[in-house]
Amino acid sequence: MNLTKQHIQDDNKKHLDAHYNSYNHLADALTKKGHNLELILKQLSDFQVAIPSWALGAGGTRFGRFSFYGEPSSLEQKIDDIGILHSLTQTAGAVSLHIPWDIPSDYQAIKEKADHLNIKFDAVNSNTFQDQTNAKESYKFGSLSNTSKAVRDQAIQHNLDVIKIGNELGSKALTVWLADGSSFPGQNNFQTAFQYTQDSLIEIYKGLPKDWNLLIEYKPYEPNFYSTVIQDWGASLMLANGCGDKAYTLVDLGHHLPNTNIEQIVAILQLKGKLGGFHFNDSKYGDDDLTVGSIKPYALFLIFNELVYGMENNPQNPDLAWMIDASHNIKDPLEDLIQSLEAIQEAYAKALLVDQTALKNAQLDNDVVKCQELLQEAYRTDVRPLLAEARLQTGGAISPINSYRSLSVRDLLIKERGKNTLATGL
Amino acid sequence: MNLTKQHIQDDNKKHLDAHYNSYNHLADALTKKGHNLELILKQLSDFQVAIPSWALGAGGTRFGRFSFYGEPSSLEQKIDDIGILHSLTQTAGAVSLHIPWDIPSDYQAIKEKADHLNIKFDAVNSNTFQDQTNAKESYKFGSLSNTSKAVRDQAIQHNLDVIKIGNELGSKALTVWLADGSSFPGQNNFQTAFQYTQDSLIEIYKGLPKDWNLLIEYKPYEPNFYSTVIQDWGASLMLANGCGDKAYTLVDLGHHLPNTNIEQIVAILQLKGKLGGFHFNDSKYGDDDLTVGSIKPYALFLIFNELVYGMENNPQNPDLAWMIDASHNIKDPLEDLIQSLEAIQEAYAKALLVDQTALKNAQLDNDVVKCQELLQEAYRTDVRPLLAEARLQTGGAISPINSYRSLSVRDLLIKERGKNTLATGL
Amino acid sequence: MNLTKQHIQDDNKKHLDAHYNSYNHLADALTKKGHNLELILKQLSDFQVAIPSWALGAGGTRFGRFSFYGEPSSLEQKIDDIGILHSLTQTAGAVSLHIPWDIPSDYQAIKEKADHLNIKFDAVNSNTFQDQTNAKESYKFGSLSNTSKAVRDQAIQHNLDVIKIGNELGSKALTVWLADGSSFPGQNNFQTAFQYTQDSLIEIYKGLPKDWNLLIEYKPYEPNFYSTVIQDWGASLMLANGCGDKAYTLVDLGHHLPNTNIEQIVAILQLKGKLGGFHFNDSKYGDDDLTVGSIKPYALFLIFNELVYGMENNPQNPDLAWMIDASHNIKDPLEDLIQSLEAIQEAYAKALLVDQTALKNAQLDNDVVKCQELLQEAYRTDVRPLLAEARLQTGGAISPINSYRSLSVRDLLIKERGKNTLATGL
Amino acid sequence: MNLTKQHIQDDNKKHLDAHYNSYNHLADALTKKGHNLELILKQLSDFQVAIPSWALGAGGTRFGRFSFYGEPSSLEQKIDDIGILHSLTQTAGAVSLHIPWDIPSDYQAIKEKADHLNIKFDAVNSNTFQDQTNAKESYKFGSLSNTSKAVRDQAIQHNLDVIKIGNELGSKALTVWLADGSSFPGQNNFQTAFQYTQDSLIEIYKGLPKDWNLLIEYKPYEPNFYSTVIQDWGASLMLANGCGDKAYTLVDLGHHLPNTNIEQIVAILQLKGKLGGFHFNDSKYGDDDLTVGSIKPYALFLIFNELVYGMENNPQNPDLAWMIDASHNIKDPLEDLIQSLEAIQEAYAKALLVDQTALKNAQLDNDVVKCQELLQEAYRTDVRPLLAEARLQTGGAISPINSYRSLSVRDLLIKERGKNTLATGL
């Protein structure tokens, strides 16, 4: 389907008065406090988050999967879906491919489609946690860390292949999420597994084009339930350091033990110039992959507070690869992503409102009460008019979720694609 | 010190213009959406939270305690402090005594002082987790659950004494928090300990005046580190049911295992007419006793969403005993309590803004996206002008924390009391 | 395949000398301490654990599944597998069917086969967490708690159907594990969902044959990631009480929040006569479904210590329905189950060795050190010769895992069934 | 009091027959399996664990403290207590001083006493988490990470003073546990706090004598409840690397988030040659400081399995500083320590029994079942006769806890010291 600027502009009309009423009041208040509205709006507009190619279909749990109507059944349709998201939100200007789920059949066509929709190809993702049909070696007992050289070689080659695919499309980074680990004490030799992983990553690193980065994800558990080779940021950083300057740690919000202070991890990685990417989602129990901001929005704000600080004070880091990594079991995936994108922009906007100078001074005075007041002052501000204005100025929807519904996007997709399509990948 | 309405009114003057500017804009927007501002303001004004008598001094951890200047060193001074809080916030109209830390020496004088400051005596709290000097029996191995009848009898008698003290002051409820449990497997017979606890509580219950309630707190661990006799709401409810109609479960936000869904517990207890009280604080790891709303404000909002629903739909519950149960290690305790009270009112106000009818309909439609939108619509609203207006209308401060500082309250208290005073109790 | 007593007896021969050497030494030491070896051996032999029909194939995670060779592809073959387990261990004398995965096509034949292998039909399990092909209503938004009466009715009817199937086979209990809940705040009305669940369970309860029990499982999260209707034992017990005397709580080891003291839950349920069943597995992070005893064997012992106490002191409970509820991702499922059965028997045997009288006295003396010594005395005893002797006396293998391998059971199954079979169900 | 070898030898007599009966049977079985008993006994005898000087008195929680009779009230008496422990267990041949709690008044006398009791001075511990009377600067808002240079300098100087004290006594390492962190979001600038900590540690590192090591402890929370500067092993390692070759990470069992795989951390640190010390305790919920092995003995075994592997395969690490870091709230501290020492030796002995060659082969074969069997084979062995024999051969007690009681050690201490003494320090 074709969601034109005109469609959105027409739908915006009914919200315009209310929007300007709110926006003007907020802009006035923020300007009085010394904020530069123009700059903030530009920062919001510039902030683009990649959508992973597998996120457009309904995900599932090990207990089953409930499908959704009108799922995209080809890479082309997935990019169409991202185009719709981007048109509405002006925030989803990138796609992150998962290989082998989404190998393009016609590179040129895919690139043109993406280009036309103003969508960039962000980091590409390899997959060595599942066996592919006809694969020679199995990843049942690990991939890059496997005790068998043949398996490790196959996994290394797969990553090199993924780089090649990404390179043709304009990607500049490879993200490695390694499920390798063990489910029972004794199954793995921790030291050997770590050493093999390091060696394998170095091989992959050698295959990186000059202007590429390697992003190494960590996760404490699942799908292995006793140990994971790259269990935390410390392990990831050690491996990245072992590879070289272009290897970085990637933080996924859901990949932490209960109660972890994630914002501190983000801050220290930035201090060391080693934060390379960030995957958004939310969770209450484990790697629940819920809509961003649906469970712990204040924690997300605190993380963005560090990210904003780092983007301003730590030029030693690369441009971060931002991606949504959530799973959509019971919502329309597109609506879910719209809600995630809104929550990301909200947290970012609030973090931009933190008075960093006053905060620094309160910290120097050990005025803990004041420090809290300053963060809460920013967090409690209702920034929705700011987000709407940023979208409006770049041709997006004042209220993306409402426009998505009033423009009957899902119905049109079903009409186009049929009801019981099935998204490729998970 | 004497913090008069005039002081506050004078201090409010400098904030008045900005306040009305914000408030009018918000009131206008909310009214358009169908909200009854007058009613909401009344609900906010009516909502009063008890301050525990021990909360006015600096708390500590097992690793030490850093004292604060000008701490109250008598019950009279503690009530003075609550008077200051109430003058500023108009939300702290009650005190919750901890016995034996705060046994009044002159009941009449204390009552008059409290009455003068418009402070009620809320639930009284017993203490059987520490040994008192000259106590005949020790609580080292438990109190109400102790295998020794003499110890149980002493603990029962203490609770009966606490009721007597509370009764003279006008309290209407006894809160029992039982630290009893074990730190090592095998130490306790779970069944016997539970049975003794039930028997002891029944004895205490029998001593309740007719119009009193018994509130039974639960906690999974600390100060015992293997088991706690009343480890969760299920155990508390079972014991309350074993006592009778006037026995209820009391929920303390910090007394749960990691990731517990507390709002669901609140809802089910309300459904059964068995929620009797609520202790506010916040935490990231365990029973951290941090300022309310400083870590997980959205979770607090979700809990208030249930509380508001219950107050409207579950008349089978008593009026809840609300109390702040936090510890002030590194903040001025009064400033900390002001921040907590603000966070409580904020969560309450946002919960009052939830469109319950629309939510119910969205739930019936299984429109999960819409359900989330409705909660976030309320939560994202900046309700601070509402809180300020509610305070303003009842003689409080537009911005309590700013007024507390600009009126130099702590300095005046230090001048009055001296620097190195020490609060009684913990 | 046919694993005869003779096969096992022959294989035992090579272990006999070593076994008697160990056993005699242990028996001597235990007898000196006052233990009744004959009784203990009988208790071990009497202890039978059900194998769920889906446990004979390789399970998986949401990230994929690695299959195993020679999986059973029919209910008949599954019961054959359990027959093998039982022959070797003499502990797996029951099967627990999951419907609709394992509806018998020929009841008489299945019953005869099971009877021939000395296998009973234990509790039957319903499944309302997945949609079946051609089902009229979907469980995407819940089953027994669904806001739609049609969905609830379908789910109730399914449970009644399961009872009917179980009844034909000789089962005496229905286990209900309810995945119902919500993944996002606001999605569910907690009170309504709970009330509907209660009403639905009462309908099912009414359909129970006279000599049947209803077992209600609880679980804090997964596959729903914000709330689960029956989130803990308190909720399960409340629902069981709402149904009647034949409704009980069922405890699954993996269904608890981090750090939960499960043994205390077991003890209190027994005290109240409301523990109806128990599902074994082990875990480090969540509901990991690992081999029993592979991660926290001491916790398992502590739980058995309560179970043994309850079986002796709480006649108000029914005979418990014991079942293994683990998932076999990377082990041969039969070997995995043998390891689980061994760990269960080990924990049980150690619990039987606890000197209950001495423990009671030490508890009365508050001699915490002694209490710990008494539990550790039992736990540190190497009870493997006891388990072997119990098996030997009833025709089982001295070392089941070794016999399984030396008798080449898996190879024979592959020869019989082919390599790439796929177990029905999950 | 003077606990002579003769006392112990006399008490051993009554256990000798039973001991040899068990030991000979076990030795026989282990020898048949190829174990070198002489070597194992030597390894057990060589394994010595330091007792911290504060561990001889009863600890407490923030909710109070129940004292114990006959506590040591001077450093001399503390070393006497360790002497008793060492006589009985032959495993407690070291003391770890905490400064300023235990500054010797007469160095020569203390050294002679320790020497006489065969006790070495292990790592010394600084304390910058409490304010000392008359200290110029306060650690309320941190020490080595404080924003104030004066505070940092005071904390650095304290550490240098501690080194000096340790050096006079023969210690060879300084352990730094830093409580620094924040209890509220915004209170700290994570990057600045980390950088200051690094700088301060470098200053301390410069003051190390040539043959000393610096051991850097980590902990996720408590006494700060939002963030801790050195929150995990990754942060500790980064800081150690920033100091130099003689700086190492120290692992305390209780200082981890729920469900952390500690054995993997131990393994990776050893691989990198950066594990410097280890603090023993046990816990169910947080840093509970319970008796070693009282809650999760299998986890302790798994950690020892890695330690044994590392001691054999990773010569790049220093000799580890082993210490018990537990708190004795409700047990006689000496009995508690005896139980801890027994549990440590038990785990070590079992780890020594793991067939490393077979394990390696099973890992290469991905024979997960076999890997588990091999670990469980070692773990299920009752090694108590081995520990007793190792003690017996070096003059210790066959059963330390029984001898402690039958020799009435505590009564004699009370007679000597009086009942209501109070241990210095916490």
Side-chain angles (χ1 to χ4, degrees), chain D residues 317-368:
Chain D
N317 294 283
D319 284 347
L320 292 189
W322 311 102
M323 190 184 96
I324 292 175
D325 194 353
S327 184
H328 318 284
N329 297 315
I330 49 169
K331 290 175 173 176
D332 175 334
L334 289 175
E335 294 194 350
D336 194 326
L337 288 162
I338 290 171
Q339 290 188 314
S340 281
L341 290 164
E342 180 85 5
I344 291 168
Q345 287 273 9
E346 188 194 28
Y348 182 40
K350 289 179 174 185
L352 290 171
L353 294 181
V354 172
D355 185 337
Q356 294 290 346
T357 312
L359 182 60
K360 195 176 175 178
N361 289 332
Q363 287 167 344
L364 286 172
D365 294 344
N366 290 315
D367 187 346
V368 183

Side-chain angles (χ1 to χ4, degrees), chain A residues 183-194:
Chain A
S183 279
F184 295 98
Q187 178 185 340
N188 258 11
N189 181 303
F190 294 132
Q191 297 195 13
T192 310
F194 194 83

Side-chain angles (χ1 to χ4, degrees), chain C residues 199-329:
Chain C
D199 296 345
S200 299
L201 286 171
I202 288 173
E203 286 309 304
I204 295 165
Y205 186 83
K206 283 182 193 161
L208 283 183
K210 266 198 180 168
D211 54 351
W212 273 54
N213 291 328
L214 175 63
L215 310 179
I216 303 172
E217 212 163 335
Y218 59 89
K219 186 175 184 181
Y221 65 96
E222 200 210 18
N224 276 295
F225 292 110
Y226 169 63
S227 73
T228 301
V229 175
I230 313 181
Q231 70 170 337
D232 56 16
W233 71 274
S236 164
L237 181 62
M238 205 183 252
L239 293 166
N241 283 335
C243 286
D245 284 351
K246 300 184 301 181
Y248 298 93
T249 292
L250 184 146
V251 175
D252 179 300
L253 271 174
H255 293 189
H256 299 87
L257 291 173
N259 308 336
T260 303
N261 187 319
I262 301 172
E263 49 270 35
Q264 186 176 359
I265 293 172
V266 165
I268 299 308
L269 286 171
Q270 289 180 121
L271 173 68
K272 296 290 169 180
K274 277 297 186 184
L275 182 65
F278 204 89
H279 285 183
F280 295 105
N281 48 56
D282 211 339
S283 57
K284 188 170 173 66
Y285 303 100
D287 188 28
D288 307 339
D289 281 340
L290 301 179
T291 316
V292 183
S294 63
I295 304 290
K296 293 178 243 166
Y298 192 56
L300 183 67
F301 162 75
L302 294 175
I303 289 165
F304 259 105
N305 186 38
E306 297 305 322
L307 290 168
V308 164
Y309 181 90
M311 289 190 275
E312 283 170 18
N313 294 280
N314 305 122
Q316 62 270 43
N317 293 283
D319 284 346
L320 293 188
W322 311 102
M323 190 184 96
I324 291 175
D325 195 353
S327 185
H328 318 284
N329 297 316

Side-chain angles (χ1 to χ4, degrees), chain A residues 141 186-187 189-191 226 228-229 231-233 237-238 257 260-261 263-264 267 306 309 314 363 366, chain D residues 141 186-191 226 228-229 232-233 237-238 257 260-261 263-264 267 306 309 314 363 366:
Chain A
F141 299 105
Q187 178 185 340
N189 181 303
F190 294 132
Q191 297 195 13
Y226 169 62
T228 301
V229 175
Q231 70 170 338
D232 57 16
W233 71 273
L237 180 62
M238 205 183 251
L257 291 173
T260 303
N261 187 320
E263 49 269 35
Q264 186 176 358
E306 297 305 323
Y309 181 89
N314 307 121
Q363 286 168 342
N366 290 315
Chain D
F141 299 105
Q187 177 186 339
N188 259 11
N189 181 304
F190 293 131
Q191 298 196 13
Y226 169 62
T228 301
V229 175
D232 57 15
W233 72 273
L237 180 63
M238 204 183 254
L257 290 173
T260 303
N261 187 320
E263 49 270 35
Q264 186 176 359
E306 297 305 323
Y309 181 89
N314 306 121
Q363 287 167 344
N366 290 315

Side-chain angles (χ1 to χ4, degrees), chain A residues 215 248-251 265-267 269-270 272-278 307 317-320 322:
Chain A
L215 310 179
Y248 298 93
T249 292
L250 183 146
V251 175
I265 294 173
V266 165
L269 286 172
Q270 288 180 122
K272 296 290 169 179
K274 277 296 186 181
L275 182 64
F278 204 91
L307 290 168
N317 293 283
D319 284 346
L320 292 188
W322 311 103

